[in-house]
């Protein structure tokens, strides 16, 4: 049995977060589902007023789809799950600076004998690591 994974992210602004994460992951914002001119139109048709969805996909077709959907409540604490974006130690610092310019927040840099990584937050405060 084939199994595929999608990562779903609760957020306030799915379109903004989708654009941000497309940049982080080297993904592209997915076209809206067939029969809909935009993600906003699809969201209204399928979910009703106040619903909003948007997704990003790996242009090479190997990584999981990431779906962003609106929720009314703000983020209320530390993530129970976070993404580790593996880009190679030599790129971590430069990428952290680039992502800050796109709305991320640098939380801390961790360096010890075994590891080097940067903990960051996306524009809505979701933690992730660059390693």
């Amino acid at each position: 049995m084939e199994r595929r994974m999608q990562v779903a992210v609760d957020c306030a602004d799915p379109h903004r977060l989708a654009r941000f994460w497309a940049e982080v992951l080297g993904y592209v914002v997915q076209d809206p589902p067939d029969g809909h001119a935009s993600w906003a139109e699809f969201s209204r048709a399928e979910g009703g007023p106040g619903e909003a969805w948007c997704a990003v996909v790996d242009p090479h077709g190997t990584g999981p789809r990431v779906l962003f959907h609106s929720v009314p409540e703000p983020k209320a604490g530390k993530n129970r799950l976070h993404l580790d974006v593996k880009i190679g130690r030599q790129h971590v610092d430069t990428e952290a600076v680039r992502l800050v310019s796109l709305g991320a927040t640098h939380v801390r840099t961790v360096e010890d004998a075994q590891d080097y990584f940067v903990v960051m937050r996306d524009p809505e405060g979701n933690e992730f690591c660059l390693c």
Side-chain angles (χ1 to χ4, degrees):
M1 166 179 17
E2 179 182 356
R3 295 181 187 204
R4 297 178 47 115
M5 184 180 74
Q6 169 177 279
V7 176
V9 179
D10 292 347
C11 60
D13 186 343
H15 302 286
R16 178 178 183 222
L17 221 50
R19 288 189 306 273
F20 173 81
W21 278 100
E23 285 286 333
V24 172
L25 299 172
Y27 277 28
V28 296
V29 175
Q30 185 178 30
D31 290 335
D34 289 343
H36 300 278
S38 68
W39 276 101
E41 179 186 296
F42 173 74
S43 300
R44 281 190 306 274
E46 295 297 317
E51 285 290 328
W53 300 308
C54 194
V56 298
V57 293
D58 180 350
H60 305 291
T62 57
R65 178 179 190 246
V66 183
L67 174 70
F68 300 90
H69 51 93
S70 62
V71 295
E73 65 278 350
K75 182 177 178 299
K78 185 172 181 350
N79 298 11
R80 296 295 304 261
L81 172 77
H82 72 265
L83 300 181
D84 287 342
V85 181
K86 295 183 173 261
I87 57 174
R89 183 179 184 143
Q90 69 274 22
H91 303 293
V92 168
D93 294 329
T94 302
E95 185 66 353
V97 169
R98 183 180 83 87
L99 296 180
V100 165
S101 77
L102 296 175
T105 303
H106 178 270
V107 176
R108 69 182 175 280
T109 300
V110 177
E111 181 172 16
D112 59 31
Q114 293 81 31
D115 260 335
Y116 183 81
F117 60 95
V118 173
V119 179
M120 310 218 36
R121 287 193 184 105
D122 73 13
E124 291 199 13
N126 301 301
E127 294 89 1
F128 66 99
C129 294
L130 295 175
C131 44

